[in-house]
Amino acid sequence: MIATRLRRCTQLAALFPKCPSSGLFSSFASAPPLPSSRLLPPSYPSQLTRGICVIFPKHLFSTLTDTVPSTPDKSTFERLYVHGVAQPQTKPTELKIDRVVCNNEHNEKLESNSGKDAVTNPVKEKDSEMEMSGPEKEAWWLLNQSVVNYCSSPVGTLAANDPGLCNQMLNYDQVFIRDFVPSAIVFLLKGEGEIVRNFLLHTLQLQSWEKTVDCYSPGQGLMPASFKVRTVPLDGNSEAFEEVLDPDFGESAIGRVAPVDSGLWWIILLRAYGKITGDCALQERIDVQTGIRLILNLCLSDGFDMFPTLLVTDGSCMIDRRMGIHGHPLEIQALFYSALRCAREMIIINDSSKNQVRAISNRLTALSFHIRQYYWVDMRKINEIYRYKTEEYSHDAINKFNIYPDQIPSWLVDWIPEKGGYLIGNLQPAHMDFRFFSLGNLWAIVSSLATDRQAEGILNLIDEKWDDLVANMPLKICYPALEYDEWRIITGSDPKNTPWSYHNGGAWPTLLWQFTLACIKMGRQDLAHRALEVAEKRLSNDKWPEYYDTRTGRFIGKQSHLYQTWTIAGFLVSKMLLRNPELASILICDEDLELLEGCACGLSKSARIKCSRKAARSQVLV
């Protein structure tokens, strides 16, 4: 049984530039007060966020700084956008909020809904239109067709917009946080920041709901995997309707797994929005700062784990099915590191946050050392593992995780090039997952989780093993595929993750934008151009599939949805970044040497307890 309790919003700092209703002054004058909590009727499938317009005095909210006259009249009220109250009419209208001041001082930002976006377009439109190819023009049209509106404002893009499967969309007709990221980057690069701002604020509102699955509630800061805009009848009125946001926190997902990566992607996107629009006031709002800290509280909470990596279950990220990535998968660690870096830039340091900022810095240092030291493999490292002694009981053990040399797979011995290497997929006691996972390695480059030497090695490996990792369509989600007994045991004989299909070695065109970012950062645009050329030859003709099957990516995936939005958006991001490589800085993080200066962990220099800070710094200087 799934129940959702709506809590009254106490911050009310999430002011939206548009409101779905007007003329409610008289309607709400006699309305009963909003209860402190309310249980949704059982007819609703899950938690719903309603778009309502109510009237409150200005002096109740710290975000509004205008003084209230001693004799207030109707003009001294502002309309604020809140959730949890029924909307008594169906016709949406626009609302203008005159002034919002973030952090109660300085940074004033005028906002209006006149239809003009305050974001300056960083891409020259005329030049872009002249250079656009046929597939690129089609991609732009399809992306605009996928936009989802909530109360007359854009809030995201559909996961897929396949007209051939209109009655079999499952959850592909929803807005996914991870899927929307490349779409958001496209809109930001185009200068259309409104949809990204709305998305960030609406998903932030959803974070505050209380989630309960079988009498158990997950952490307070959990972000939903996705949400859907639904139109439902008003309570007790069969002729009037309202729009609601219906989020999925994992309680409807396959396997009922919470989306660990959603909150991490949200923080990363929030930083990108601020860097390209200059709207830093959004990051400084009280509700946004609270949202960041709630996500970090979940990630930085104490547990039994001895490692700085984030412990997760199978299926908690882009690979959302059973694929043997439970534990400490590289993809989650790279996103975790990136989110910590972004949060460290955005958190306002004060008495209430300084301890968390200190915890972030310490975790970043420990995490970077752990990944660089223990996840990295190249020819030299594999040979070292091949000669490992086992069952070492010592503080100075070389084989710290008791890895058995026989775990080295036979395919790896001949596959690893002389020059190049990569970060393995997972590391746990007595277990190393030697598969190559593209997203984790690429985002390790983008976020500087990998050293420059390691980043160069990863791109060298992709170049050397192009026929295995790119071939007819970039980019393999992982390599190699699980086959035979491995596939049956690890995936549970999953019919969707058969060898060289879907998450099990399928080729995912959306990874093209992460690949482009990594290549730009390392000065290897030649590889990005090469991959983009391969993709552009097929994507439009194949109707923009979600993924491709077979060892070389020759076939459209057997269950692949067509007109997949993040395939379209990933292609557009790559095109735009390669035309304007300097714009890649919105997502790229350079090495932060301050994290490696001095020791803040308070460990002694005894043989029993050693600090990794010096070792981490030495790797950067290699």
Side-chain angles (χ1 to χ4, degrees):
M1 177 180 178
I2 300 172
T4 304
R5 183 173 296 278
L6 278 67
R7 299 179 303 169
R8 187 173 185 176
C9 181
T10 56
Q11 294 176 4
L12 293 177
L15 306 182
F16 288 84
K18 291 186 180 180
C19 178
S21 305
S22 63
L24 298 182
F25 186 86
S26 58
S27 301
F28 276 94
S30 58
L34 179 67
S36 59
S37 62
R38 172 183 172 191
L39 190 65
L40 283 176
S43 59
Y44 288 164
S46 63
Q47 38 294 54
L48 305 175
T49 299
R50 303 183 175 198
I52 321 300
C53 187
V54 294
I55 300 175
F56 289 100
K58 281 186 178 181
H59 69 276
L60 293 181
F61 308 102
S62 61
T63 51
L64 300 175
T65 59
D66 297 340
T67 59
V68 181
S70 57
T71 307
D73 56 18
K74 186 174 179 178
S75 64
T76 64
F77 287 75
E78 295 286 340
R79 296 187 175 192
L80 304 181
Y81 189 93
V82 297
H83 60 263
V85 187
Q87 174 180 314
Q89 64 179 47
T90 59
K91 184 179 179 181
T93 59
E94 293 186 352
L95 170 72
K96 182 176 179 180
I97 297 177
D98 293 327
R99 188 180 296 270
V100 175
V101 180
C102 297
N103 203 27
N104 291 327
E105 59 181 356
H106 313 300
N107 299 322
E108 288 190 346
K109 183 174 181 62
L110 296 176
E111 298 180 9
S112 68
N113 284 335
S114 59
K116 296 180 181 179
D117 201 320
V119 179
T120 303
N121 186 352
V123 179
K124 296 180 181 179
E125 289 191 26
K126 292 183 179 179
D127 294 345
S128 298
E129 290 177 2
M130 292 177 60
E131 297 174 5
M132 278 190 188
S133 61
E136 192 174 358
K137 292 178 181 178
E138 181 189 16
W140 273 111
W141 185 85
L142 291 170
L143 181 64
N144 288 325
Q145 291 296 307
S146 71
V147 171
V148 175
N149 288 300
Y150 173 57
C151 300
S152 303
S153 296
V155 293
T157 52
L158 297 172
N161 197 14
D162 189 347
L165 295 173
C166 56
N167 296 323
Q168 307 173 36
M169 291 299 290
L170 296 177
N171 58 351
Y172 282 76
D173 60 348
Q174 299 186 19
V175 179
F176 281 80
I177 287 186
R178 76 172 69 95
D179 291 39
F180 179 67
V181 171
S183 297
I185 301 304
V186 171
F187 289 122
L188 289 175
L189 292 175
K190 193 71 161 49
E192 300 175 6
E194 180 192 5
I195 184 174
V196 182
R197 179 184 174 88
N198 292 343
F199 171 84
L200 289 168
L201 292 175
H202 278 295
T203 48
L204 179 65
Q205 271 199 322
L206 296 176
Q207 182 196 41
S208 66
W209 298 129
E210 293 178 358
K211 290 79 64 174
T212 303
V213 180
D214 293 337
C215 303
Y216 180 78
S217 298
Q220 186 181 6
L222 181 65
M223 281 288 190
S226 62
F227 64 85
K228 183 172 182 176
V229 178
R230 298 186 186 275
T231 303
V232 299
L234 279 172
D235 296 341
N237 191 337
S238 60
E239 296 182 356
F241 296 84
E242 63 176 339
E243 286 187 339
V244 296
L245 291 182
D246 182 7
D248 175 17
F249 291 91
E251 71 272 21
S252 300
I254 298 172
R256 302 299 187 265
V257 179
V260 177
D261 64 335
S262 288
L264 306 178
W265 277 122
W266 186 88
I267 292 176
I268 293 168
L269 181 58
L270 177 64
R271 173 184 178 265
Y273 171 84
K275 285 183 72 71
I276 199 168
T277 65
D279 182 11
C280 295
L282 178 67
Q283 301 170 359
E284 297 170 359
R285 285 171 42 156
I286 296 174
D287 55 335
V288 175
Q289 287 285 310
T290 301
I292 295 172
R293 295 184 62 184
L294 285 174
I295 295 171
L296 295 180
N297 285 342
L298 277 180
C299 297
L300 298 174
S301 59
D302 294 330
F304 292 101
D305 208 345
M306 294 290 292
F307 314 127
T309 42
L310 203 57
L311 179 64
V312 300
T313 62
D314 224 337
S316 57
C317 52
M318 178 182 176
I319 299 178
D320 57 4
R321 301 170 73 91
R322 181 176 162 188
M323 270 291 292
I325 65 168
H326 58 278
H328 308 90
L330 177 64
E331 177 179 333
I332 289 292
Q333 313 316 320
L335 293 175
F336 180 35
Y337 182 84
S338 182
L340 290 176
R341 289 285 306 270
C342 295
R344 189 167 172 262
E345 291 182 20
M346 296 185 293
I347 289 181
I348 298 173
I349 301 178
N350 51 39
D351 290 341
S352 63
S353 65
K354 61 183 180 181
N355 289 335
Q356 190 172 57
V357 173
R358 185 182 299 112
I360 291 173
S361 297
N362 290 338
R363 190 64 168 266
L364 281 168
T365 300
L367 181 60
S368 63
F369 171 77
H370 186 85
I371 297 296
R372 295 170 178 181
Q373 181 73 13
Y374 303 122
Y375 277 62
W376 176 255
V377 293
D378 53 14
M379 179 64 77
R380 183 193 63 78
K381 183 65 176 182
I382 292 173
N383 199 4
E384 180 183 317
I385 297 172
Y386 180 74
R387 294 169 53 82
Y388 268 171
K389 295 179 180 179
T390 59
E391 317 302 333
E392 292 182 284
Y393 185 80
S394 168
H395 296 297
D396 298 321
I398 296 176
N399 186 4
K400 292 182 175 62
F401 298 92
N402 199 35
I403 302 299
Y404 299 108
D406 288 344
Q407 286 187 25
I408 300 175
S410 56
W411 64 266
L412 181 62
V413 176
D414 297 323
W415 191 74
I416 192 75
E418 289 289 339
K419 294 183 179 180
Y422 65 100
L423 298 169
I424 61 173
N426 212 329
L427 176 64
Q428 299 183 73
H431 173 67
M432 295 182 80
D433 185 346
F434 287 98
R435 286 176 292 176
F436 176 88
F437 287 86
S438 295
L439 178 53
N441 275 275
L442 295 176
W443 210 255
I445 297 175
V446 171
S447 64
S448 290
L449 176 57
T451 66
D452 285 347
R453 182 181 63 83
Q454 291 172 346
E456 291 173 0
I458 293 169
L459 293 182
N460 286 341
L461 179 137
I462 294 175
D463 189 12
E464 184 76 18
K465 298 298 177 181
W466 190 267
D467 292 340
D468 292 328
L469 301 175
V470 179
N472 294 296
M473 179 56 63
L475 197 64
K476 287 292 182 190
I477 191 171
C478 70
Y479 182 91
L482 299 172
E483 298 181 288
Y484 310 114
D485 288 341
E486 251 190 336
W487 168 74
R488 282 188 285 271
I489 294 170
I490 294 177
T491 73
S493 300
D494 187 348
K496 194 168 185 177
N497 272 332
T498 52
W500 306 108
S501 178
Y502 201 49
H503 297 140
N504 189 16
W508 290 69
T510 187
L511 294 172
L512 188 60
W513 75 274
Q514 289 104 328
F515 181 57
T516 301
L517 270 175
C519 290
I520 290 174
K521 182 184 178 187
M522 301 308 299
R524 293 297 306 271
Q525 286 95 322
D526 58 309
L527 291 180
H529 280 290
R530 185 179 168 193
L532 183 61
E533 184 180 354
V534 172
E536 192 166 10
K537 289 178 180 178
R538 297 189 59 187
L539 286 178
S540 179
N541 292 334
D542 293 343
K543 301 179 181 178
W544 308 93
E546 178 183 13
Y547 64 94
Y548 286 78
D549 284 355
T550 74
R551 184 183 290 267
T552 59
R554 294 190 65 186
F555 290 175
I556 297 173
K558 57 185 175 183
Q559 296 187 43
S560 176
H561 281 72
L562 303 181
Y563 301 105
Q564 186 81 12
T565 303
W566 69 350
T567 295
I568 296 165
F571 169 77
L572 289 174
V573 173
S574 296
K575 277 281 191 179
M576 299 172 81
L577 288 179
L578 286 174
R579 287 199 187 105
N580 302 274
E582 68 279 0
L583 296 176
S585 62
I586 63 173
L587 285 175
I588 287 174
C589 292
D590 293 324
E591 182 70 70
D592 188 353
L593 295 177
E594 287 185 9
L595 292 173
L596 308 177
E597 291 292 338
C599 181
C601 61
L603 297 181
S604 69
K605 298 181 180 180
S606 67
R608 182 176 179 82
I609 304 177
K610 293 184 177 180
C611 177
S612 61
R613 188 77 58 117
K614 183 177 179 180
R617 188 171 185 273
S618 66
Q619 291 192 20
V620 176
L621 300 178
V622 169

